[in-house]
Amino acid sequence: MQLRASLYKESEDATGTHDLAAAKAETSPEKLDGLLQDLKALAGQVPGIISISAGRNLTDRAAGCTHAAIVTLENLAALQPYLEHPRHQTVGGGLREAAELLVFDYEY
């Protein structure tokens, strides 16, 4: 299962997105690691991204989730362009093929 929770703060400060992923049975952890590296690369390619952090889960407390990512966006207005960007569409498609997805966006 992948969870992407976008955090938004309606001010001049940052917004963020949180993702949790459970690899499908046929997906190796290494493949998902590679896809998350592709996600991290979006930080220099998609306007509105401040930072991206991603990695493997270290404990058994994540209800089967094996990987996580946090994408920090400039603000709520950056969400839709981020979601529609062709590079994000490509990386997101790869993640959807490799992991179960649940997306959750919220303001903070």
Side-chain angles (χ1 to χ4, degrees), residues 15-75:
T15 295
T17 298
H18 292 252
D19 301 336
L20 301 178
K24 292 181 179 176
E26 64 275 10
T27 303
S28 71
E30 293 77 20
K31 177 169 176 73
L32 200 47
D33 287 341
L35 289 165
L36 290 179
Q37 289 300 319
D38 294 343
L39 178 68
K40 287 193 236 181
L42 295 179
Q45 302 172 8
V46 178
I49 296 175
I50 294 173
S51 66
I52 300 177
S53 172
R56 288 187 191 192
N57 179 36
L58 301 175
T59 70
D60 62 355
R61 303 180 318 148
C65 294
T66 58
H67 292 71
I70 300 172
V71 177
T72 303
L73 302 172
E74 291 173 350
N75 52 39

Side-chain angles (χ1 to χ4, degrees), residues 5 9 11 27 31 52 54 63 66 68 75 77 80 85 87 89 92 99:
K9 187 173 182 181
S11 71
T27 303
K31 177 169 176 73
I52 300 177
T66 58
N75 52 39
Q80 201 59 41
H85 194 281
R87 290 287 301 137
Q89 292 288 317

